Amino acid sequence: MLTETQSLLLRTISVPILISIGLYTFIYPKLSKQQILLIFVVCFIGILISSFYCLPFALIPVTFTFMYLYHIRKDTPIVLLMLPASYLILVLCDNTTSLIFFKVFHVGYDIINYSLPYILMFDFACYTSYCIFTYLLSIPLHKFLYRQNISLPKGIFWILLANLILCCIIVLTNILAGNNIGYNSTNVLFNCMNAVIFFLVSIIIIFQCLKINQRYYKAQEELKQYESLKEYTSNLEQLYNNLRSFKHDYVNIMTSISSYLDEKMYDELFVFFHTNLVPLKNELIQNTETLNYLMHIKPLEIKSLLSYKMMYAIEKNISVTIDIPNDITKICMNAIDLTRLLGIYLDNAIEAALESPIPKVNLHLADMGEYIALLISNSYMDKGLSLAEMTTLHVTTKGKGNGHGIGLHNANLIFMKYPSVFHETYIENDLFFQHMQIPNI
């Protein structure tokens, strides 16, 4: 039989282990091993001190864990809900396992807590049920919260967090009361029932909020699709206006040439031709080559966006190079997300190129079989920002305010929805590169 201190030590170490497992299972993308280890160490030390000396000391590791999770995942504060949820599942599994040992195996409370073989069996059963339960629960959580990039409104988020914390306080108070009056099968059954009820109510509330928020998210997606359609129509109108302008200029040019010929002003025609028509010829050739390359792109929304952005860059006297060697029939990414990414990267590339001494924007798009390769590069003027700082929210070289500094940050949020998509940002040969590889799956 174990002593009171040994038993308390074994029970204490189980809590931070299970909470760490829960956080690792629930949070996506996964926390690193170093982050999980730090949370475990702080929780273990805090719970150990509170168990032996000062009960309120447990608030310190809880507060630290909340602050640490918020610090490392500011973009997704929803992870704060996972700490009280992990504890509630821990209590539920512990009480359920205790009830099974009491009612099925007829093992008393003292044997479970002081007999090493039974402690090991109890912990194995509790750990197994906890891992299974958290894994099954993590599947819908990842689907609703992370992979679809859904963020809860602040009001709902704080209500859910307060509800889970309140449940934890009630359950913890119930456990402390049980410690004072002594445990028996009735007490354990009562605790188990309370834990189940509180947890089920919390789960129902959370998933109802998620369903409502998902409907809101779908409405927002439909609105984005409508805005994308408007932009696509606007791009077509812009191309049509460019064509009309070209036809108008063509008629004027032909009229001018005809006037020179009618008056037999050949010297003046020679000057007019080399002064006005030769530069126009070079511009028309560049525009024509640009549009010819873009004909390889079959998705209309992508072709429209690239046509508009590249024509706009040419109009701004930016040297544009487009390389699309084969047909692009399909890109396995949500069209709204892809157009948002391309819009962010091309807008940034054009703005940065205009600030450089020799403006350049290059676009390479190719079907490599297993993946679609996309490479956007541009000239730029170095303003002292590192690559890490450029993707930080509200960090910008364009001045404070006016909504600047969110483009690359939003792009990173989109990439979180596509873990199989490779993306890197780098600088090479005085050019700023955005490189993507989208799997053909």
Side-chain angles (χ1 to χ4, degrees):
M1 298 293 287
L2 299 177
T3 64
E4 180 72 26
T5 300
Q6 292 172 332
S7 174
L8 186 58
L9 184 62
L10 286 175
R11 280 183 285 149
T12 299
I13 197 172
S14 296
V15 175
I17 290 177
L18 291 175
I19 288 179
S20 300
I21 293 174
L23 292 177
Y24 183 79
T25 304
F26 283 143
I27 296 176
Y28 180 88
K30 299 294 186 183
L31 297 176
S32 67
K33 294 180 180 179
Q34 292 81 4
Q35 292 169 339
I36 286 293
L37 180 61
L38 177 61
I39 292 174
F40 166 77
V41 171
V42 172
C43 288
F44 175 69
I45 294 175
I47 295 173
L48 185 65
I49 294 176
S50 65
S51 299
F52 281 97
Y53 299 106
C54 180
L55 183 62
F57 192 84
L59 293 175
I60 295 178
V62 171
T63 304
F64 168 82
T65 306
F66 270 118
M67 295 175 63
Y68 183 62
L69 288 175
Y70 181 76
H71 173 70
I72 61 178
R73 293 295 170 87
K74 290 181 181 179
D75 297 335
T76 53
I78 195 73
V79 299
L80 297 181
L81 296 177
M82 304 311 158
L83 179 59
S86 299
Y87 177 74
L88 287 174
I89 298 175
L90 184 158
V91 174
L92 176 62
C93 293
D94 181 82
N95 281 273
T96 304
T97 306
S98 298
L99 187 62
I100 293 174
F101 269 68
F102 288 165
K103 294 295 185 181
V104 178
F105 300 112
H106 304 290
V107 177
Y109 174 77
D110 291 339
I111 296 178
I112 292 177
N113 282 275
Y114 296 101
S115 174
L116 184 59
Y118 279 99
I119 289 176
L120 295 178
M121 286 190 293
F122 181 90
D123 286 347
F124 177 78
C126 188
Y127 281 35
T128 303
S129 61
Y130 184 84
C131 291
I132 293 174
F133 199 84
T134 52
Y135 174 75
L136 294 176
L137 191 59
S138 69
I139 296 174
L141 282 176
H142 291 175
K143 176 182 177 181
F144 281 110
L145 295 181
Y146 302 116
R147 298 188 188 278
Q148 295 186 10
N149 200 29
I150 298 177
S151 59
L152 290 173
K154 288 185 178 180
I156 296 178
F157 167 75
W158 288 114
I159 290 175
L160 293 179
L161 183 60
N163 173 72
L164 288 176
I165 292 176
L166 179 62
C167 288
C168 291
I169 293 174
I170 294 174
V171 169
L172 184 60
T173 303
N174 191 34
I175 292 174
L176 294 176
N179 285 330
N180 291 330
I181 64 177
Y183 278 107
N184 54 47
S185 61
T186 304
N187 291 338
V188 173
L189 178 61
F190 178 75
N191 287 339
C192 188
M193 292 285 292
N194 276 342
V196 169
I197 292 172
F198 282 130
F199 187 75
L200 289 180
V201 169
S202 300
I203 291 297
I204 291 172
I205 292 174
I206 289 174
F207 276 98
Q208 285 300 319
C209 291
L210 290 178
K211 284 185 177 181
I212 294 173
N213 205 61
Q214 188 181 35
R215 286 195 287 267
Y216 172 78
Y217 176 78
K218 287 182 177 179
Q220 292 295 105
E221 283 293 303
E222 292 176 357
L223 180 61
K224 289 178 182 177
Q225 292 178 3
Y226 172 71
E227 294 295 331
S228 179
L229 181 60
K230 284 177 60 179
E231 184 177 1
Y232 172 63
T233 305
S234 175
N235 293 344
L236 289 180
E237 290 177 353
Q238 181 67 30
L239 294 175
Y240 175 70
N241 290 333
N242 290 340
L243 180 60
R244 286 183 61 189
S245 176
F246 169 75
K247 291 174 64 177
H248 181 267
D249 292 341
Y250 177 80
V251 171
N252 290 337
I253 290 170
M254 291 300 102
T255 302
S256 300
I257 293 176
S258 176
S259 299
Y260 281 114
L261 291 174
D262 290 341
E263 298 296 329
K264 298 182 180 181
M265 302 171 63
Y266 302 119
D267 292 338
E268 289 81 357
L269 177 59
F270 180 85
V271 175
F272 174 78
F273 178 82
H274 285 279
T275 304
N276 298 287
L277 297 189
V278 171
L280 180 61
K281 180 196 70 172
N282 295 333
E283 180 180 347
L284 291 176
I285 290 174
Q286 186 179 20
N287 290 352
T288 303
E289 289 179 348
T290 298
L291 293 177
N292 284 341
Y293 276 115
L294 293 176
M295 292 299 291
H296 286 296
I297 302 176
K298 304 307 177 183
L300 293 179
E301 64 276 6
I302 306 302
K303 180 190 297 185
S304 169
L305 176 68
L306 293 179
S307 299
Y308 175 73
K309 297 296 183 183
M310 294 297 100
M311 294 295 291
Y312 175 76
I314 292 172
E315 291 175 1
K316 293 294 184 179
N317 297 318
I318 296 175
S319 175
V320 173
T321 301
I322 298 179
D323 178 28
I324 307 177
N326 47 25
D327 287 347
I328 307 296
T329 58
K330 181 182 179 182
I331 302 179
C332 296
M333 180 181 284
N334 179 274
I336 301 299
D337 291 335
L338 183 56
T339 53
R340 287 178 63 196
L341 283 173
L342 290 175
I344 291 170
Y345 288 149
L346 289 173
D347 285 343
N348 285 352
I350 293 172
E351 290 180 15
L354 288 173
E355 296 176 348
S356 64
I358 305 177
K360 296 179 183 178
V361 172
N362 307 314
L363 172 68
H364 172 79
L365 186 61
D367 189 342
M368 308 302 292
E370 295 183 356
Y371 59 88
I372 299 294
L374 173 65
L375 194 64
I376 299 173
S377 61
N378 60 274
S379 58
Y380 73 104
M381 180 178 292
D382 189 0
K383 296 186 177 181
L385 282 182
S386 66
L387 292 178
E389 290 173 325
M390 292 179 185
T391 58
T392 304
L393 185 61
H394 300 309
V395 174
T396 176
T397 61
K398 304 172 188 175
K400 297 182 178 179
N402 301 321
H404 295 312
I406 62 174
L408 294 179
H409 173 78
N410 288 339
N412 280 351
L413 292 181
I414 294 175
F415 279 121
M416 290 179 64
K417 298 164 58 176
Y418 302 93
S420 62
V421 173
F422 171 79
H423 168 252
E424 65 174 341
T425 302
Y426 60 93
I427 296 173
E428 186 177 288
N429 298 328
D430 295 326
L431 292 177
F432 189 90
F433 286 84
Q434 295 288 356
H435 179 204
M436 293 170 54
Q437 292 181 2
I438 307 171
N440 286 322
I441 55 174

